[in-house]
Amino acid sequence: EPYVKKEVHQGIATIEFFHPQSNSLPSSMLQQLAHHITQIAADPKVLVIVLKSTGEKAFCAGASFEELTAIKNEKEGLLFFSGFAHVINALRKCHQLVIGRIHGKCVGGGVGLAAAVDYAIAVEGADVKLSELAVGIGPFVVGPAVERKIGTSAFSQLAIDAGSWRNSEWAKRKGLFAEVHPTVESMDESIAKLSNTLSQSSPEAMLELKKVFWKGTDHWDELLIERAKISGRLVLS
């Protein structure tokens, strides 16, 4: 069954999600993700967050295609795409640094999640693709997060060539991934090492660093909802 769950251990919070359809995200799971991130952000005992999915294939296949095709009007479209806006803004505004565990391919909104964490650690084979244009919409909601991380040129390449995969080394070279490991074991070892180090670091210093990293994004609460309106309108076609 699909789920979103969280646990806290020695100052490290882990948020994990799963969906049997390649970890795609329906509205209900997006709401749970945003809720858990916001809830954990308010816990003073949590010093670092690890965002991960489970399974052996995709990290996240993006929006639930079944739910996308069921959208009947612009209001429903706005409501659905606002889910991604709320998750990205929750990651942006939480006080803790967020490590992303990218164990497989990222599509659409999955690329947005990888871009919205503060430090993404991936494994070889974690290829990326922004497929939205190929289905008649565009990566409008996740676009600001992706563009912030990899720059306008690389973002435009992903958005325009919507049918092509870019490999994990491309993603690392462009700055989407901080690290790429040859095996899942070495990826997990690196995540454990970094999260343990951060859990013993100064919370105040990490908060001030996060403010620096996300400087100039205070308007995203409004911007991402405006982008969700665009996607919600286009998906009807």
Side-chain angles (χ1 to χ4, degrees):
E1 292 296 317
Y3 66 79
V4 179
K5 64 183 181 181
K6 69 179 189 298
E7 64 177 39
V8 180
H9 182 66
Q10 294 184 340
I12 302 168
T14 301
I15 300 175
E16 179 180 294
F17 64 93
F18 169 74
H19 193 284
Q21 295 177 338
S22 301
N23 287 325
S24 58
L25 292 170
S27 292
S28 59
M29 289 182 64
L30 290 167
Q31 291 172 8
Q32 291 177 63
L33 271 175
H35 173 73
H36 284 322
I37 295 164
T38 303
Q39 191 177 53
I40 283 174
D43 187 345
K45 297 190 295 295
V46 175
L47 300 173
V48 61
I49 297 172
V50 176
L51 177 66
K52 61 183 288 189
S53 62
T54 192
E56 297 179 354
K57 295 183 179 179
F59 165 71
C60 178
S64 166
F65 193 74
E66 287 185 4
E67 199 162 332
L68 276 179
T69 55
I71 292 172
K72 298 181 181 64
N73 53 58
E74 289 188 25
K75 184 178 179 181
E76 290 182 2
L78 170 61
L79 185 64
F80 176 76
F81 287 103
S82 293
F84 282 99
H86 296 322
V87 172
I88 291 171
N89 278 322
L91 290 167
R92 173 178 67 87
K93 292 190 284 187
C94 73
H95 293 175
Q96 299 86 348
L97 295 175
V98 183
I99 301 170
R101 178 187 183 271
I102 317 299
H103 76 274
K105 292 182 176 181
C106 307
V107 183
V111 181
L113 290 184
V117 301
D118 298 299
Y119 196 96
I121 300 179
V123 70
E124 289 178 5
D127 301 346
V128 300
K129 178 168 69 171
L130 287 178
S131 59
E132 287 88 344
L133 190 60
V135 294
I137 51 177
F140 296 107
V141 179
V142 302
V146 178
E147 184 177 4
R148 166 188 165 270
K149 210 62 173 287
I150 68 176
T152 303
S153 177
F155 167 57
S156 68
Q157 292 169 34
L158 284 177
I160 293 170
D161 190 8
S164 296
W165 292 96
R166 295 327 197 258
N167 64 29
S168 54
E169 282 302 322
W170 183 94
K172 181 176 183 292
R173 196 164 61 247
K174 299 299 182 182
L176 181 65
F177 298 156
E179 303 175 19
V180 173
H181 291 266
T183 65
V184 170
E185 290 76 17
S186 62
M187 174 186 66
D188 285 336
E189 183 180 333
S190 180
I191 291 169
K193 181 179 178 181
L194 179 59
S195 57
N196 284 326
T197 298
L198 292 177
S199 71
Q200 299 171 47
S201 300
S202 163
E204 294 81 6
M206 289 189 288
L207 173 58
E208 293 302 323
L209 266 179
K210 181 135 186 175
K211 290 178 181 177
V212 170
F213 298 154
W214 289 91
K215 181 181 178 181
T217 62
D218 292 341
H219 64 298
W220 279 22
D221 284 327
E222 295 78 25
L223 173 66
L224 299 193
I225 297 302
E226 288 299 318
R227 295 290 187 87
K229 288 180 182 177
I230 299 173
S231 292
R233 171 172 51 83
L234 290 173
V235 76
L236 298 176
S237 64

